[in-house]
Amino acid sequence: MPVKNRFAELQDEITAWRRDIHENPEILFETHRTSALVAQKLQEFGCDEVVTGIGRTGVVGVIKGKADTSGKVIGLRADMDALPIHEQTGLDYASKTPGAMHACGHDGHTAMLLGAAKYLSETRNFDGTVVVIFQPAEEGGGGAKVMCDDGLMDRWGVQEVYGLHNWPGQPLGSFAIRPGSFFAATDQFDITFEGRGGHAAKPHETVDTTVLAAQAVLALQTIASRNADPVHQIVVSVTSFETSSKAFNVIPQKVQIKGTVRTMSKDMRDLAEKRINEVCTGIAATFGGTADITYHRGYPVMVNHEEQTEFAAKVAASVSGSCGDAPLVMGGEDFAFMLEERPGAYILMGNGDTAMVHHPEYNFNDDAIPAGCSWWAEIVEQRMPAA
């Protein structure tokens, strides 16, 4: 079953939705305009139920098949939020909101799921119920968890859930997936070292926090190189180093470093948190200072379920001819929270030779729309075939 002809017919319409969303980006939970647009479209399509305000600004649509003898309920999820990036594409439909843009393709994800919802509402050629989920705040807000905490899965009896993300550098409209751990856990640390500030000409009278913090930055790299088993994935990156004084002749009283940790297992996550505390506390004590350490656990590891991954790959191959093996991704994805609630799978769809996501020149490739819509529709029709 290749790309569905109906989505080729609808491509211009879906593209127009996508570009309208692109032109009006909204960040985190502030997806008020986008959510209203989504709800309006779902109502126009004739969805059996449309509910707003799930997870603050999330939208849920329910579409019942021609029959419901299977009793199956499948969830399809798209993210709606943009990023705090100033767009540099030069497109005629570029962001009209300074400092915000759809630099990750969530505009495309939302438009494609709307397209699938329109088709499924028209045909209803399945036995069961599909729940289309439009989620805010994937980019750092954990909107998936907020929607789940709001009763998403239990309220509509979702049994399985599927998600999709475009992937620059992968051939346009192709698919790739992997079972098990797929996207990394994303944690943050914030460490303030305090010593004794003073004149830079008299270092012996101070506890030099700049030297102390610099030692910590170097030592933290040994967590990956000397504490973790080399066959396990772990990244510890210090990304910010700020002193309490900007003067050239002052040894600062305080230095703050911040960074991120990416891991693919609970054991590595626990190890990273433990060693960051031990390393920084120990170095601070060695130099006569102190370390105030905050470690925040963000998104968990996103784990694809075996059976659903195999099925998602089969569907992808039926749409595009094949489905490749996706690499491990050290980026984070809050669909992980939904996969902790229900079995399901997450797949990558090729965006072609474009700028990478989170880049100011990125743009979703509208030519991928028929493939993405077809994959979502086929997930429903193949998992819940009409009697």
Side-chain angles (χ1 to χ4, degrees), residues 197-248:
H199 200 293
K202 298 181 178 181
H204 59 289
E205 295 179 359
T206 72
V207 173
D208 192 337
T209 49
T210 303
V211 172
L212 190 161
Q215 292 285 339
V217 171
L218 294 175
L220 289 175
Q221 306 313 305
T222 66
I223 296 174
S225 67
R226 289 297 177 267
N227 298 142
D229 186 325
V231 302
H232 294 290
Q233 292 78 20
I234 182 170
V235 174
V236 180
S237 293
V238 177
T239 57
S240 175
F241 191 112
E242 297 184 9
T243 64
S244 59
S245 170
K246 305 304 179 188
F248 77 94

Side-chain angles (χ1 to χ4, degrees), residues 40-85:
Q40 178 189 346
K41 293 297 180 188
L42 294 177
Q43 288 162 352
E44 291 174 359
F45 301 159
C47 289
D48 297 283
E49 184 180 2
V50 179
V51 180
T52 60
I54 304 300
R56 294 169 61 177
T57 48
V59 182
V60 172
V62 178
I63 307 166
K64 296 183 181 298
K66 289 179 179 177
D68 189 19
T69 62
S70 72
K72 291 182 179 178
V73 183
I74 288 179
L76 307 176
R77 172 271 202 174
D79 33 20
M80 300 186 291
D81 59 318
L83 281 158
I85 295 175

Side-chain angles (χ1 to χ4, degrees), residues 25-335:
E26 297 170 303
I27 293 172
L28 293 172
F29 290 99
E30 301 304 312
T31 57
H32 302 291
R33 182 187 185 278
T34 308
S35 298
L37 173 67
V38 166
Q40 178 189 346
K41 293 297 180 188
L42 294 177
Q43 288 162 352
E44 291 174 359
F45 301 159
C47 289
D48 297 283
E49 184 180 2
V50 179
V51 180
T52 60
I54 304 300
R56 294 169 61 177
T57 48
V59 182
V60 172
V62 178
I63 307 166
K64 296 183 181 298
K66 289 179 179 177
D68 189 19
T69 62
S70 72
K72 291 182 179 178
V73 183
I74 288 179
L76 307 176
R77 172 271 202 174
D79 33 20
M80 300 186 291
D81 59 318
L83 281 158
I85 295 175
H86 183 73
E87 183 164 351
Q88 297 177 20
T89 61
L91 296 166
D92 57 4
Y93 56 87
S95 169
K96 296 189 296 188
T97 305
M101 75 168 286
H102 273 288
C104 204
H106 296 184
D107 51 344
H109 304 164
T110 296
M112 287 190 297
L113 187 53
L114 281 174
K118 179 168 184 171
Y119 165 83
L120 292 167
S121 297
E122 290 173 349
T123 60
R124 300 182 184 259
N125 189 34
F126 56 95
D127 182 4
T129 301
V130 59
V131 179
V132 288
I133 303 162
F134 295 86
Q135 178 212 305
E138 190 282 322
E139 299 289 359
K145 185 177 190 305
V146 178
M147 290 192 81
C148 288
D149 289 347
D150 226 0
L152 168 67
M153 300 299 179
D154 291 337
R155 179 169 174 177
W156 284 282
V158 175
Q159 298 165 357
E160 296 181 350
V161 64
Y162 295 87
L164 173 155
H165 203 295
N166 78 95
W167 208 247
Q170 185 175 308
L172 181 67
S174 67
F175 293 91
I177 198 170
R178 66 181 299 122
S181 297
F182 192 173
F183 278 59
T186 59
D187 299 340
Q188 303 170 37
F189 57 86
D190 186 329
I191 305 164
T192 300
F193 295 101
E194 184 163 4
R196 185 168 61 250
H199 200 293
K202 298 181 178 181
H204 59 289
E205 295 179 359
T206 72
V207 173
D208 192 337
T209 49
T210 303
V211 172
L212 190 161
Q215 292 285 339
V217 171
L218 294 175
L220 289 175
Q221 306 313 305
T222 66
I223 296 174
S225 67
R226 289 297 177 267
N227 298 142
D229 186 325
V231 302
H232 294 290
Q233 292 78 20
I234 182 170
V235 174
V236 180
S237 293
V238 177
T239 57
S240 175
F241 191 112
E242 297 184 9
T243 64
S244 59
S245 170
K246 305 304 179 188
F248 77 94
N249 60 350
V250 173
I251 289 174
Q253 179 78 10
K254 295 181 180 181
V255 171
Q256 181 186 47
I257 64 172
K258 297 180 181 181
T260 186
V261 175
R262 306 298 172 101
T263 51
M264 281 289 182
S265 71
K266 181 181 182 300
D267 288 347
M268 284 297 100
R269 201 177 196 186
D270 291 343
L271 172 69
E273 181 174 4
K274 175 175 178 287
R275 289 299 294 146
I276 284 173
N277 277 276
E278 291 172 345
V279 166
C280 292
T281 300
I283 288 175
T286 298
F287 284 86
T290 60
D292 181 20
I293 303 165
T294 300
Y295 192 95
H296 172 70
R297 294 200 174 204
Y299 298 170
V301 179
M302 191 187 74
V303 181
N304 270 347
H305 296 251
E306 192 84 30
E307 178 190 343
Q308 286 72 24
T309 300
E310 183 178 344
F311 169 68
K314 173 188 168 187
V315 171
S318 74
V319 171
S320 68
S322 63
C323 184
D325 295 325
L328 286 169
V329 179
M330 297 311 285
E333 169 53 66
D334 81 341
F335 190 64

